[in-house]
């Protein structure tokens, strides 16, 4: 740290992303990426013409991409916001709808970035404990005096709320923005997008990083009523109007055009997830019921950290959170069938050796 850093940021505890090691080839099940490549159309769209135009700025209005997303979600273009990853959008939302001196409410166990954005913007973080079984008690989110943020499905638990439950949270917070982070919704959750027409306080945040195989392109979008979107645009135009590069814009449009390719991949991942869940349970693991592209699992008698380390030694990367209530668990991203077969064999061997 330099002696010049703004006082307000000295204690800021930045988000720690999952490892992206370069030392050797791992079976990489630690950052919830898709194991499948982008669609052939997407790959083709980028490798041609656009690269030679990189000397020119991209379209700051992202017109084509907004149009494609608006059609896909049956909304108007002015109900769509796009930016450089959904983390960027969440950052904007904390700034726009909470801000310095404001408050935000979210579960004690959820996406780690929410807390970081609170610290960054001087927002008071109110962390509401999940129930013993890691589910969300919706009544705890009624009549809050600040922005409510819920990942649905939640991360890293994979559990989800029903549309009725989301609706009740919206009904009971009519003067607050409710952000539903749907990073994993395409893997079996119920999307709140259909509620947008009736709830001016709803902002749904989505990403191309998980279900659309484009974590490396950095592309996220938010859907909500036109005024909320205008607020986000205002922040975008006050920070980085060209936040989405040319190649990513093209990739995004093409990904929406090959939507069925991506949604079929989600179906495959769901099938693999259900298979792995069953197998792990047969091995004596406790596995939370997941609606995401990862599972959260633990086995009595083996610490999560130990399991994580042993898996890494054996060439498998998963995620472990050294955090109260969940330190016994590991989060396992669902890979291809072949990757998961290897994973199941390796984890079985590790557990047998541990217990001996
Ligand atoms: C992965 C993830 C994001 C971030 O996605 P990007 O679009 O890659 O920035 C946001 N929210 C949750 C809950 C996530 O797991």
């Amino acid at each position: 740290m330099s002696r010049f850093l703004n006082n307000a940021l000295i204690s800021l505890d930045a988000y720690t992303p999952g490892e992206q090691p370069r030392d050797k080839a791992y079976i990489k099940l630690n950052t919830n990426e898709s194991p499948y490549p982008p669609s052939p159309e997407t790959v083709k769209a980028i490798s041609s013409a656009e690269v030679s135009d990189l000397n020119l700025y991209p379209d700051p209005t992202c017109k084509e991409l907004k149009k494609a997303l608006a059609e896909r979600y049956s909304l108007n273009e002015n109900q769509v916001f796009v930016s450089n990853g959904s983390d960027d959008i969440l950052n904007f939302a904390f700034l726009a709808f909470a801000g310095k001196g404001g408050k935000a409410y979210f579960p004690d166990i959820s996406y780690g970035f929410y807390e970081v954005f609170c610290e960054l913007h001087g927002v008071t973080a109110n962390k509401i404990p999940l129930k013993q079984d890691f589910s969300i008690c919706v009544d705890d989110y009624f009549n809050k005096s600040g922005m409510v943020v819920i990942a649905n499905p939640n991360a890293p638990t994979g559990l989800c709320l029903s549309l009725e439950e989301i609706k009740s949270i919206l009904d009971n917070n009519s003067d607050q923005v409710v952000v539903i982070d749907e990073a994993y919704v395409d893997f079996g959750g119920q999307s709140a997008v259909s509620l947008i027409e009736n709830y001016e306080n709803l902002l749904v945040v989505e990403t191309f990083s998980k279900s659309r195989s484009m974590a490396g392109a950095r592309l996220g979008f938010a859907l909500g009523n036109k005024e909320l979107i205008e607020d986000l645009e205002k922040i975008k135009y006050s920070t980085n109007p060209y936040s989405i590069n040319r190649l990513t814009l093209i990739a995004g449009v093409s990904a929406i055009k090959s939507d069925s390719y991506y949604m079929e991949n989600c179906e495959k991942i769901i099938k693999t997830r259900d298979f792995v869940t069953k197998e792990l349970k047969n091995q004596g693991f406790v596995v939370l019921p997941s609606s995401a592209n990862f599972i959260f699992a633990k086995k009595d008698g083996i610490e999560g950290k130990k399991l994580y380390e042993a898996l890494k030694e054996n060439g498998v990367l998963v995620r472990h959170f050294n955090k109260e209530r969940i330190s016994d668990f590991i989060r396992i991203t669902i890979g291809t069938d072949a990757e998961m077969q290897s994973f199941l064999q390796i984890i079985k061997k590790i557990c047998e050796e541990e217990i001996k």
Side-chain angles (χ1 to χ4, degrees):
M1 192 189 341
S2 83
R3 63 195 168 88
F4 306 106
L5 184 67
N6 163 4
N7 277 339
L9 298 183
I10 288 174
S11 64
L12 176 64
D13 198 4
Y15 179 72
T16 314
E19 302 163 87
Q20 306 291 354
R22 302 277 178 256
D23 60 331
K24 63 173 187 179
Y26 288 94
I27 297 179
K28 197 170 174 305
L29 311 177
N30 69 328
T31 48
N32 298 342
E33 292 138 321
S34 174
Y36 302 110
S39 75
E41 291 82 3
T42 305
V43 173
K44 218 165 110 204
I46 298 184
S47 57
S48 59
E50 205 63 16
V51 178
S52 58
D53 278 342
L54 283 177
N55 56 314
L56 304 173
Y57 280 113
D59 170 20
T61 68
C62 307
K63 175 96 180 140
E64 286 297 307
L65 180 57
K66 283 191 178 181
K67 190 165 155 250
L69 283 165
E71 270 170 33
R72 165 67 173 78
Y73 290 94
S74 306
L75 294 166
N76 296 319
E77 281 168 48
N78 61 13
Q79 294 174 301
V80 181
F81 179 75
V82 290
S83 199
N84 178 22
S86 63
D87 288 335
D88 211 33
I89 301 177
L90 292 165
N91 183 28
F92 289 4
F94 276 84
L95 181 59
F97 309 122
K100 200 171 160 66
K103 294 179 191 158
Y105 296 81
F106 46 86
D108 62 339
I109 296 162
S110 192
Y111 188 38
F113 234 131
Y114 303 152
E115 232 179 314
V116 178
F117 291 136
C118 284
E119 279 191 55
L120 181 63
H121 296 301
V123 172
T124 304
N126 294 277
K127 289 183 275 178
I128 301 177
L130 293 177
K131 289 196 265 191
Q132 200 60 38
D133 64 358
F134 297 108
S135 65
I136 286 172
C137 176
V138 285
D139 302 17
D140 292 346
Y141 293 84
F142 290 176
N143 306 313
K144 296 293 126 186
S145 52
M147 183 171 83
V148 174
V149 185
I150 291 180
N152 191 44
N154 197 12
T157 63
L159 302 186
C160 65
L161 291 177
S162 69
L163 206 53
E164 281 309 308
E165 289 172 306
I166 299 281
K167 224 167 145 170
S168 68
I169 293 174
L170 287 160
D171 279 325
N172 288 285
N173 285 289
S174 50
D175 292 327
Q176 303 298 338
V177 171
V178 176
V179 174
I180 305 296
D181 180 350
E182 295 192 348
Y184 300 105
V185 77
D186 296 324
F187 301 101
Q190 273 188 299
S191 175
V193 171
S194 64
L195 302 177
I196 288 171
E197 61 177 331
N198 293 321
Y199 292 91
E200 58 167 359
N201 57 335
L202 169 61
L203 187 74
V204 178
V205 178
E206 310 225 6
T207 176
F208 282 69
S209 295
K210 316 285 166 47
S211 59
R212 290 189 171 98
S213 303
M214 278 172 45
R218 312 304 305 127
L219 186 57
F221 57 105
L223 308 169
N225 93 78
K226 156 173 162 299
E227 283 79 19
L228 289 182
I229 300 303
E230 279 168 10
D231 297 341
L232 295 174
E233 292 288 353
K234 186 174 183 154
I235 296 180
K236 168 180 149 165
Y237 278 88
S238 307
T239 49
N240 183 3
Y242 301 113
S243 62
I244 306 181
N245 71 71
R246 279 183 172 269
L247 305 185
T248 296
L249 276 177
I250 293 271
V253 172
S254 135
I256 295 301
K257 286 188 179 144
S258 29
D259 203 51
S260 56
Y261 166 87
Y262 294 101
M263 295 307 123
E264 277 162 28
N265 282 346
C266 290
E267 290 302 320
K268 275 200 263 183
I269 289 167
I270 291 169
K271 276 212 185 100
T272 310
R273 175 190 75 207
D274 294 347
F275 170 75
V276 177
T277 302
K278 202 178 88 213
E279 292 294 312
L280 280 180
K281 283 183 176 169
N282 287 341
Q283 289 188 28
F285 276 81
V286 172
V287 187
L288 301 191
S290 171
S291 299
N293 66 339
F294 56 81
I295 49 179
F296 208 44
K298 70 167 180 180
K299 185 161 180 169
D300 288 338
I302 303 185
E303 283 168 31
K305 184 153 187 283
K306 207 154 197 187
L307 208 44
Y308 156 80
E309 283 166 356
L311 282 165
K312 188 169 177 183
E313 253 163 53
N314 285 276
V316 180
L317 275 186
V318 297
R319 189 105 199 241
H320 173 254
F321 298 93
N322 205 358
K323 212 183 139 175
E324 236 180 287
R325 291 185 76 185
I326 56 169
S327 59
D328 287 348
F329 283 80
I330 54 171
R331 191 195 67 190
I332 307 144
T333 304
I334 302 301
T336 61
D337 282 330
E339 286 173 323
M340 299 320 285
Q341 291 285 6
S342 306
F343 161 79
L344 286 166
Q345 280 173 10
I346 292 167
I347 201 165
K348 185 161 183 230
K349 197 185 89 203
I350 290 170
C351 291
E352 283 167 0
E353 282 167 9
E354 271 304 311
I355 280 160
K356 255 195 294 197

mmCIF file of all heavy atoms in Angstrom, residues 15 31-32 84-88 90 110-111 113-114 151 153-155 181-184 205-210 215 218-220 294 331, ligand 1:
data_model
loop_
_atom_site.group_PDB
_atom_site.id
_atom_site.type_symbol
_atom_site.label_atom_id
_atom_site.label_comp_id
_atom_site.label_asym_id
_atom_site.label_seq_id
_atom_site.Cartn_x
_atom_site.Cartn_y
_atom_site.Cartn_z
ATOM 1 N N TYR A 15 -12.044 -8.560 -3.109
ATOM 2 C CA TYR A 15 -12.557 -9.889 -3.429
ATOM 3 C C TYR A 15 -11.407 -10.788 -3.887
ATOM 4 O O TYR A 15 -10.511 -10.341 -4.606
ATOM 5 C CB TYR A 15 -13.599 -9.766 -4.544
ATOM 6 C CG TYR A 15 -14.191 -11.084 -4.992
ATOM 7 C CD1 TYR A 15 -15.094 -11.778 -4.177
ATOM 8 C CD2 TYR A 15 -13.854 -11.643 -6.226
ATOM 9 C CE1 TYR A 15 -15.636 -12.984 -4.582
ATOM 10 C CE2 TYR A 15 -14.392 -12.857 -6.640
ATOM 11 C CZ TYR A 15 -15.285 -13.517 -5.811
ATOM 12 O OH TYR A 15 -15.809 -14.719 -6.225
ATOM 13 N N THR A 31 -14.292 -22.377 -10.624
ATOM 14 C CA THR A 31 -14.841 -21.021 -10.796
ATOM 15 C C THR A 31 -16.126 -20.986 -11.633
ATOM 16 O O THR A 31 -16.477 -19.945 -12.211
ATOM 17 C CB THR A 31 -13.796 -20.033 -11.380
ATOM 18 O OG1 THR A 31 -13.161 -20.636 -12.508
ATOM 19 C CG2 THR A 31 -12.725 -19.679 -10.366
ATOM 20 N N ASN A 32 -16.813 -22.104 -11.673
ATOM 21 C CA ASN A 32 -18.156 -22.160 -12.271
ATOM 22 C C ASN A 32 -18.236 -21.742 -13.734
ATOM 23 O O ASN A 32 -19.268 -21.263 -14.208
ATOM 24 C CB ASN A 32 -19.155 -21.341 -11.440
ATOM 25 C CG ASN A 32 -19.298 -21.900 -10.038
ATOM 26 O OD1 ASN A 32 -18.927 -23.049 -9.788
ATOM 27 N ND2 ASN A 32 -19.845 -21.119 -9.129
ATOM 28 N N ASN A 84 -19.452 -4.693 -18.816
ATOM 29 C CA ASN A 84 -18.281 -5.547 -18.849
ATOM 30 C C ASN A 84 -18.302 -6.540 -17.682
ATOM 31 O O ASN A 84 -17.586 -6.376 -16.708
ATOM 32 C CB ASN A 84 -17.064 -4.610 -18.788
ATOM 33 C CG ASN A 84 -15.758 -5.339 -18.773
ATOM 34 O OD1 ASN A 84 -15.673 -6.476 -19.190
ATOM 35 N ND2 ASN A 84 -14.735 -4.685 -18.275
ATOM 36 N N GLY A 85 -19.165 -7.548 -17.780
ATOM 37 C CA GLY A 85 -19.316 -8.533 -16.705
ATOM 38 C C GLY A 85 -20.383 -8.096 -15.725
ATOM 39 O O GLY A 85 -20.631 -6.901 -15.548
ATOM 40 N N SER A 86 -21.048 -9.055 -15.099
ATOM 41 C CA SER A 86 -22.115 -8.657 -14.180
ATOM 42 C C SER A 86 -21.552 -8.110 -12.879
ATOM 43 O O SER A 86 -22.235 -7.378 -12.167
ATOM 44 C CB SER A 86 -23.108 -9.792 -13.944
ATOM 45 O OG SER A 86 -22.504 -10.880 -13.340
ATOM 46 N N ASP A 87 -20.294 -8.401 -12.564
ATOM 47 C CA ASP A 87 -19.673 -7.769 -11.391
ATOM 48 C C ASP A 87 -19.687 -6.250 -11.548
ATOM 49 O O ASP A 87 -19.919 -5.509 -10.593
ATOM 50 C CB ASP A 87 -18.218 -8.232 -11.234
ATOM 51 C CG ASP A 87 -18.124 -9.680 -10.770
ATOM 52 O OD1 ASP A 87 -19.076 -10.170 -10.144
ATOM 53 O OD2 ASP A 87 -17.087 -10.310 -11.043
ATOM 54 N N ASP A 88 -19.436 -5.800 -12.747
ATOM 55 C CA ASP A 88 -19.463 -4.382 -13.066
ATOM 56 C C ASP A 88 -20.857 -3.806 -12.793
ATOM 57 O O ASP A 88 -21.004 -2.726 -12.220
ATOM 58 C CB ASP A 88 -19.148 -4.267 -14.568
ATOM 59 C CG ASP A 88 -18.428 -2.986 -14.931
ATOM 60 O OD1 ASP A 88 -17.640 -2.493 -14.109
ATOM 61 O OD2 ASP A 88 -18.643 -2.498 -16.060
ATOM 62 N N LEU A 90 -23.226 -5.104 -10.822
ATOM 63 C CA LEU A 90 -23.507 -5.133 -9.380
ATOM 64 C C LEU A 90 -22.828 -3.948 -8.692
ATOM 65 O O LEU A 90 -23.419 -3.284 -7.832
ATOM 66 C CB LEU A 90 -23.021 -6.455 -8.777
ATOM 67 C CG LEU A 90 -23.808 -7.691 -9.227
ATOM 68 C CD1 LEU A 90 -23.049 -8.980 -8.884
ATOM 69 C CD2 LEU A 90 -25.195 -7.720 -8.568
ATOM 70 N N SER A 110 -23.339 -15.868 0.815
ATOM 71 C CA SER A 110 -23.748 -15.553 -0.550
ATOM 72 C C SER A 110 -22.507 -15.146 -1.321
ATOM 73 O O SER A 110 -21.379 -15.402 -0.888
ATOM 74 C CB SER A 110 -24.809 -14.446 -0.554
ATOM 75 O OG SER A 110 -25.393 -14.343 -1.833
ATOM 76 N N TYR A 111 -22.712 -14.510 -2.452
ATOM 77 C CA TYR A 111 -21.594 -14.103 -3.299
ATOM 78 C C TYR A 111 -20.727 -13.080 -2.547
ATOM 79 O O TYR A 111 -21.231 -12.034 -2.113
ATOM 80 C CB TYR A 111 -22.167 -13.506 -4.581
ATOM 81 C CG TYR A 111 -21.158 -13.210 -5.663
ATOM 82 C CD1 TYR A 111 -20.081 -14.048 -5.901
ATOM 83 C CD2 TYR A 111 -21.316 -12.077 -6.463
ATOM 84 C CE1 TYR A 111 -19.173 -13.774 -6.910
ATOM 85 C CE2 TYR A 111 -20.421 -11.802 -7.485
ATOM 86 C CZ TYR A 111 -19.347 -12.653 -7.698
ATOM 87 O OH TYR A 111 -18.459 -12.374 -8.698
ATOM 88 N N PHE A 113 -18.675 -10.871 -3.281
ATOM 89 C CA PHE A 113 -18.473 -9.531 -3.812
ATOM 90 C C PHE A 113 -19.432 -8.494 -3.202
ATOM 91 O O PHE A 113 -19.108 -7.300 -3.136
ATOM 92 C CB PHE A 113 -18.641 -9.536 -5.336
ATOM 93 C CG PHE A 113 -17.461 -8.963 -6.068
ATOM 94 C CD1 PHE A 113 -16.899 -9.641 -7.133
ATOM 95 C CD2 PHE A 113 -16.906 -7.744 -5.697
ATOM 96 C CE1 PHE A 113 -15.794 -9.121 -7.822
ATOM 97 C CE2 PHE A 113 -15.812 -7.217 -6.372
ATOM 98 C CZ PHE A 113 -15.257 -7.911 -7.436
ATOM 99 N N TYR A 114 -20.607 -8.942 -2.732
ATOM 100 C CA TYR A 114 -21.578 -7.969 -2.216
ATOM 101 C C TYR A 114 -20.976 -7.157 -1.065
ATOM 102 O O TYR A 114 -21.157 -5.941 -0.974
ATOM 103 C CB TYR A 114 -22.869 -8.658 -1.744
ATOM 104 C CG TYR A 114 -23.558 -9.498 -2.799
ATOM 105 C CD1 TYR A 114 -24.345 -10.598 -2.435
ATOM 106 C CD2 TYR A 114 -23.435 -9.199 -4.150
ATOM 107 C CE1 TYR A 114 -24.990 -11.373 -3.388
ATOM 108 C CE2 TYR A 114 -24.073 -9.973 -5.112
ATOM 109 C CZ TYR A 114 -24.841 -11.056 -4.724
ATOM 110 O OH TYR A 114 -25.468 -11.826 -5.671
ATOM 111 N N ALA A 151 -28.854 -13.513 -4.560
ATOM 112 C CA ALA A 151 -28.441 -14.361 -5.678
ATOM 113 C C ALA A 151 -29.428 -15.519 -5.727
ATOM 114 O O ALA A 151 -29.640 -16.209 -4.729
ATOM 115 C CB ALA A 151 -27.024 -14.884 -5.461
ATOM 116 N N PRO A 153 -30.349 -18.777 -8.295
ATOM 117 C CA PRO A 153 -29.914 -19.563 -7.145
ATOM 118 C C PRO A 153 -28.783 -18.877 -6.376
ATOM 119 O O PRO A 153 -27.995 -18.138 -6.965
ATOM 120 C CB PRO A 153 -29.413 -20.860 -7.773
ATOM 121 C CG PRO A 153 -30.057 -20.936 -9.116
ATOM 122 C CD PRO A 153 -30.264 -19.534 -9.552
ATOM 123 N N ASN A 154 -28.732 -19.180 -5.075
ATOM 124 C CA ASN A 154 -27.697 -18.586 -4.245
ATOM 125 C C ASN A 154 -26.353 -19.273 -4.499
ATOM 126 O O ASN A 154 -26.297 -20.431 -4.894
ATOM 127 C CB ASN A 154 -28.090 -18.700 -2.764
ATOM 128 C CG ASN A 154 -27.283 -17.762 -1.868
ATOM 129 O OD1 ASN A 154 -26.574 -16.869 -2.350
ATOM 130 N ND2 ASN A 154 -27.383 -17.966 -0.570
ATOM 131 N N ALA A 155 -25.296 -18.525 -4.278
ATOM 132 C CA ALA A 155 -23.952 -19.083 -4.364
ATOM 133 C C ALA A 155 -23.296 -18.880 -2.998
ATOM 134 O O ALA A 155 -23.485 -17.818 -2.411
ATOM 135 C CB ALA A 155 -23.146 -18.341 -5.423
ATOM 136 N N ASP A 181 -29.752 -11.473 -8.467
ATOM 137 C CA ASP A 181 -28.567 -11.839 -9.232
ATOM 138 C C ASP A 181 -28.783 -13.254 -9.784
ATOM 139 O O ASP A 181 -28.698 -14.234 -9.061
ATOM 140 C CB ASP A 181 -27.359 -11.770 -8.293
ATOM 141 C CG ASP A 181 -26.045 -12.129 -8.973
ATOM 142 O OD1 ASP A 181 -26.064 -12.615 -10.124
ATOM 143 O OD2 ASP A 181 -24.997 -11.932 -8.336
ATOM 144 N N GLU A 182 -29.089 -13.313 -11.081
ATOM 145 C CA GLU A 182 -29.443 -14.604 -11.698
ATOM 146 C C GLU A 182 -28.291 -15.205 -12.494
ATOM 147 O O GLU A 182 -28.490 -15.773 -13.575
ATOM 148 C CB GLU A 182 -30.700 -14.436 -12.571
ATOM 149 C CG GLU A 182 -31.936 -14.066 -11.758
ATOM 150 C CD GLU A 182 -33.252 -14.165 -12.542
ATOM 151 O OE1 GLU A 182 -33.215 -14.300 -13.789
ATOM 152 O OE2 GLU A 182 -34.312 -14.091 -11.893
ATOM 153 N N ALA A 183 -27.087 -15.109 -11.959
ATOM 154 C CA ALA A 183 -25.915 -15.656 -12.658
ATOM 155 C C ALA A 183 -26.110 -17.137 -13.018
ATOM 156 O O ALA A 183 -25.593 -17.611 -14.022
ATOM 157 C CB ALA A 183 -24.665 -15.481 -11.800
ATOM 158 N N TYR A 184 -26.883 -17.859 -12.188
ATOM 159 C CA TYR A 184 -27.015 -19.315 -12.383
ATOM 160 C C TYR A 184 -28.418 -19.757 -12.772
ATOM 161 O O TYR A 184 -28.728 -20.936 -12.729
ATOM 162 C CB TYR A 184 -26.588 -20.035 -11.097
ATOM 163 C CG TYR A 184 -25.161 -19.722 -10.727
ATOM 164 C CD1 TYR A 184 -24.864 -18.854 -9.687
ATOM 165 C CD2 TYR A 184 -24.114 -20.261 -11.459
ATOM 166 C CE1 TYR A 184 -23.549 -18.547 -9.379
ATOM 167 C CE2 TYR A 184 -22.800 -19.958 -11.162
ATOM 168 C CZ TYR A 184 -22.525 -19.099 -10.112
ATOM 169 O OH TYR A 184 -21.224 -18.800 -9.821
ATOM 170 N N VAL A 205 -30.104 -9.192 -12.632
ATOM 171 C CA VAL A 205 -28.741 -9.121 -13.173
ATOM 172 C C VAL A 205 -28.335 -10.500 -13.685
ATOM 173 O O VAL A 205 -28.513 -11.506 -12.988
ATOM 174 C CB VAL A 205 -27.754 -8.626 -12.095
ATOM 175 C CG1 VAL A 205 -26.331 -8.597 -12.636
ATOM 176 C CG2 VAL A 205 -28.155 -7.247 -11.601
ATOM 177 N N GLU A 206 -27.833 -10.544 -14.917
ATOM 178 C CA GLU A 206 -27.461 -11.834 -15.518
ATOM 179 C C GLU A 206 -26.074 -11.726 -16.149
ATOM 180 O O GLU A 206 -25.541 -10.646 -16.337
ATOM 181 C CB GLU A 206 -28.477 -12.228 -16.597
ATOM 182 C CG GLU A 206 -29.920 -12.148 -16.123
ATOM 183 C CD GLU A 206 -30.747 -13.354 -16.518
ATOM 184 O OE1 GLU A 206 -30.195 -14.321 -17.071
ATOM 185 O OE2 GLU A 206 -31.963 -13.309 -16.263
ATOM 186 N N THR A 207 -25.529 -12.865 -16.504
ATOM 187 C CA THR A 207 -24.180 -12.881 -17.068
ATOM 188 C C THR A 207 -24.047 -13.897 -18.200
ATOM 189 O O THR A 207 -24.788 -14.885 -18.233
ATOM 190 C CB THR A 207 -23.143 -13.203 -15.972
ATOM 191 O OG1 THR A 207 -21.851 -13.294 -16.572
ATOM 192 C CG2 THR A 207 -23.439 -14.512 -15.263
ATOM 193 N N PHE A 208 -23.118 -13.624 -19.104
ATOM 194 C CA PHE A 208 -22.768 -14.590 -20.156
ATOM 195 C C PHE A 208 -21.668 -15.533 -19.670
ATOM 196 O O PHE A 208 -21.203 -16.379 -20.419
ATOM 197 C CB PHE A 208 -22.257 -13.851 -21.402
ATOM 198 C CG PHE A 208 -23.329 -13.239 -22.274
ATOM 199 C CD1 PHE A 208 -24.076 -12.157 -21.826
ATOM 200 C CD2 PHE A 208 -23.574 -13.727 -23.551
ATOM 201 C CE1 PHE A 208 -25.052 -11.565 -22.634
ATOM 202 C CE2 PHE A 208 -24.554 -13.151 -24.368
ATOM 203 C CZ PHE A 208 -25.293 -12.067 -23.900
ATOM 204 N N SER A 209 -21.216 -15.352 -18.434
ATOM 205 C CA SER A 209 -20.030 -16.089 -17.970
ATOM 206 C C SER A 209 -20.285 -17.554 -17.653
ATOM 207 O O SER A 209 -19.369 -18.359 -17.722
ATOM 208 C CB SER A 209 -19.463 -15.435 -16.710
ATOM 209 O OG SER A 209 -18.989 -14.152 -16.981
ATOM 210 N N LYS A 210 -21.500 -17.899 -17.260
ATOM 211 C CA LYS A 210 -21.735 -19.255 -16.777
ATOM 212 C C LYS A 210 -22.481 -20.078 -17.826
ATOM 213 O O LYS A 210 -21.913 -20.933 -18.456
ATOM 214 C CB LYS A 210 -22.501 -19.206 -15.449
ATOM 215 C CG LYS A 210 -21.989 -18.156 -14.442
ATOM 216 C CD LYS A 210 -20.724 -18.508 -13.763
ATOM 217 C CE LYS A 210 -19.932 -17.470 -13.005
ATOM 218 N NZ LYS A 210 -20.532 -16.565 -12.082
ATOM 219 N N ALA A 215 -17.067 -16.642 -20.031
ATOM 220 C CA ALA A 215 -16.433 -15.984 -18.874
ATOM 221 C C ALA A 215 -15.250 -15.123 -19.321
ATOM 222 O O ALA A 215 -14.989 -14.056 -18.758
ATOM 223 C CB ALA A 215 -15.986 -17.024 -17.852
ATOM 224 N N ARG A 218 -16.099 -11.389 -20.774
ATOM 225 C CA ARG A 218 -16.583 -10.385 -19.810
ATOM 226 C C ARG A 218 -17.832 -9.685 -20.341
ATOM 227 O O ARG A 218 -17.764 -8.632 -20.977
ATOM 228 C CB ARG A 218 -15.493 -9.333 -19.468
ATOM 229 C CG ARG A 218 -14.131 -9.878 -19.112
ATOM 230 C CD ARG A 218 -14.183 -10.863 -17.938
ATOM 231 N NE ARG A 218 -14.808 -10.280 -16.770
ATOM 232 C CZ ARG A 218 -15.837 -10.855 -16.114
ATOM 233 N NH1 ARG A 218 -16.330 -12.008 -16.515
ATOM 234 N NH2 ARG A 218 -16.348 -10.283 -15.052
ATOM 235 N N LEU A 219 -18.957 -10.266 -20.097
ATOM 236 C CA LEU A 219 -20.208 -9.657 -20.545
ATOM 237 C C LEU A 219 -21.345 -9.991 -19.575
ATOM 238 O O LEU A 219 -21.605 -11.155 -19.282
ATOM 239 C CB LEU A 219 -20.555 -10.147 -21.958
ATOM 240 C CG LEU A 219 -21.764 -9.498 -22.631
ATOM 241 C CD1 LEU A 219 -21.619 -7.981 -22.719
ATOM 242 C CD2 LEU A 219 -21.985 -10.078 -24.023
ATOM 243 N N GLY A 220 -21.969 -8.936 -19.089
ATOM 244 C CA GLY A 220 -23.116 -9.113 -18.204
ATOM 245 C C GLY A 220 -24.246 -8.211 -18.658
ATOM 246 O O GLY A 220 -24.029 -7.284 -19.439
ATOM 247 N N PHE A 294 -23.017 -25.928 -10.128
ATOM 248 C CA PHE A 294 -22.043 -26.395 -9.146
ATOM 249 C C PHE A 294 -22.809 -27.093 -8.038
ATOM 250 O O PHE A 294 -24.047 -26.949 -7.941
ATOM 251 C CB PHE A 294 -21.247 -25.213 -8.563
ATOM 252 C CG PHE A 294 -22.125 -24.148 -7.942
ATOM 253 C CD1 PHE A 294 -22.636 -24.284 -6.657
ATOM 254 C CD2 PHE A 294 -22.490 -23.020 -8.673
ATOM 255 C CE1 PHE A 294 -23.461 -23.321 -6.096
ATOM 256 C CE2 PHE A 294 -23.321 -22.051 -8.112
ATOM 257 C CZ PHE A 294 -23.802 -22.213 -6.821
ATOM 258 N N ARG A 331 -17.020 -26.473 -2.885
ATOM 259 C CA ARG A 331 -17.922 -26.180 -3.995
ATOM 260 C C ARG A 331 -17.306 -26.754 -5.264
ATOM 261 O O ARG A 331 -16.152 -26.455 -5.593
ATOM 262 C CB ARG A 331 -18.119 -24.675 -4.141
ATOM 263 C CG ARG A 331 -19.254 -24.304 -5.117
ATOM 264 C CD ARG A 331 -19.201 -22.860 -5.533
ATOM 265 N NE ARG A 331 -18.020 -22.599 -6.333
ATOM 266 C CZ ARG A 331 -17.598 -21.375 -6.677
ATOM 267 N NH1 ARG A 331 -18.260 -20.322 -6.271
ATOM 268 N NH2 ARG A 331 -16.515 -21.220 -7.407
HETATM 269 C C1 LIG B 1 -20.007 -15.482 -11.375
HETATM 270 C C2 LIG B 1 -20.944 -14.597 -10.658
HETATM 271 C C3 LIG B 1 -21.097 -13.270 -11.015
HETATM 272 C C4 LIG B 1 -20.132 -12.541 -11.920
HETATM 273 O O1 LIG B 1 -20.207 -12.797 -13.200
HETATM 274 P P1 LIG B 1 -19.360 -11.974 -14.283
HETATM 275 O O2 LIG B 1 -20.400 -11.629 -15.275
HETATM 276 O O3 LIG B 1 -18.339 -12.946 -14.763
HETATM 277 O O4 LIG B 1 -18.751 -10.758 -13.666
HETATM 278 C C5 LIG B 1 -22.088 -12.527 -10.398
HETATM 279 N N1 LIG B 1 -22.849 -13.065 -9.427
HETATM 280 C C6 LIG B 1 -22.684 -14.329 -9.017
HETATM 281 C C7 LIG B 1 -23.548 -14.857 -7.931
HETATM 282 C C8 LIG B 1 -21.719 -15.131 -9.613
HETATM 283 O O5 LIG B 1 -21.507 -16.357 -9.167
#
